[in-house]
Amino acid sequence: MRMPVEDRSSAARRPSESRFLDVRGMRYHLRQWGPSSDQADVTVVMLHGWMDVSASFQFVADALDASWCVMAPDWRGYGLTERAHADCYWFPDYVADLDRILDDVKSRRIVLVGHSMGGNVALLYAGIRPARVAAVVNLEGFGLRQTHATQAPQRYAQWLDELRAGASMRDYASLAEVEQRLLRNNARLTPQRARFLAPFWSQRQANGRWAIAGDPAHKIVNPTLYRLDEVLACWACIACPVLWVQADATEVLRFVADPPSSALQEIERRRAAIPAVDSLVITDAGHMVHHDQPERVAAGIKDFISKRLPAA
C-alpha cells in the first residue's frame, strides 16, 4: 500500500511516498523516493540509526540521482513501523528484518547506505549475505567498544534491573519544542531542517503533547556483549565495495574505544578488516553527517557508485 507523504517544509525538495510491508509478522513502514525498484537498475536502501527515523535521509535523497529508487525503512519500534511485542529489542532482529525487506526490492543491484547503527547493520548483512549486496556506504557505523566475558554478569544484572524498572522518554508540549530539542542535539542542524524533521521525529499523543517516534524500550541495555571478533569476521566476508564515511568532527569516539584518544587508531584497524574499502572524510560535520552536509554525502555516494558500479 502506498500513500503520499506531505512535504512539510521547503527544506525537502523531493517528495516521498509511504508504503507498508509485512515483515516477520510486523507492519513495517518504508519511505520511498523516485521510481519503484522494478523500474530502476539500482535501488539505494538507506538504514537509519538509533533513535532516528527514515525521513532523516530526506536531505541526502534530495541530492541523489532522480533515476535511482531510494527507499528507507523505519526500523522496528521507530517512526511508523510497529513496535515489538516485547519489553526490549535485540540487534540481530534488524539484520533479519533487512533480509526480508530486500525480498521486496526488484532492482538488479542493491546499495545499502547505513548511518551509525544502520551502518553496522549494513556491514554485517553484507558479510552474511554477500551475494545480495552490490555496494555499501557506511556513514559513521564504527561499532562499539570491545567487551570481555568478565563483563557478562554485570551486564545481565543491569538488563534485569532495567527491564524491571521499564524505560521512558520525556515528551514535548509542541512541535516547536521538538525542533528546539533537535537543534540542541546538533548545533550544525539548520532551523529549516529541524522544522522539517520534527513532525517525523515525533508523534502527537492523545493528550496533545508530542512524544519521540521511538519505543522507549530501545533504551534498555542489550544483555549480550559486543563481540568484536564476530563482527570483524562478518566484515571480512564482504564481497562488494564499501565506502567508509567519517565526519571530521565526529562525537562518537568515546563509544569505540577506551580511552577515546585511541579511538581513531581503533577505527582504522576495523576499517582495514573490510576487503575492498574506500574512505571519505566529510569536513565541517559531526556524527549526524547526513544532516550536516547532505549534499557532500550524496556527492560521495554518486561518485562511489559511478566508479565502483560503472554500468549503473
Side-chain angles (χ1 to χ4, degrees), residues 110-126:
I110 296 172
V111 177
L112 299 180
V113 177
H115 172 252
S116 195
M117 182 187 80
N120 285 282
V121 176
L123 289 175
L124 274 179
Y125 187 80

Side-chain angles (χ1 to χ4, degrees), residues 31 51 60 63 70 81-82 114 135 148 158 165 176 194 197 206-207 212 215 234 245 271 276-277 283 288 290 298-299:
R31 188 172 307 281
M51 286 300 168
V60 176
V70 180
T81 292
E82 188 177 0
H148 304 282
Q158 180 184 355
L197 290 170
N207 63 2
I212 301 305
D215 190 340
C234 291
V245 180
R271 187 192 68 84
V277 58
T283 58
M288 301 299 284
H290 55 309

Side-chain angles (χ1 to χ4, degrees), residues 27 61 64 71 81 144 153 195 233 289:
R27 188 172 187 260
L64 288 177
M71 64 173 61
T81 292
L144 301 174
R195 193 172 306 117
V289 61

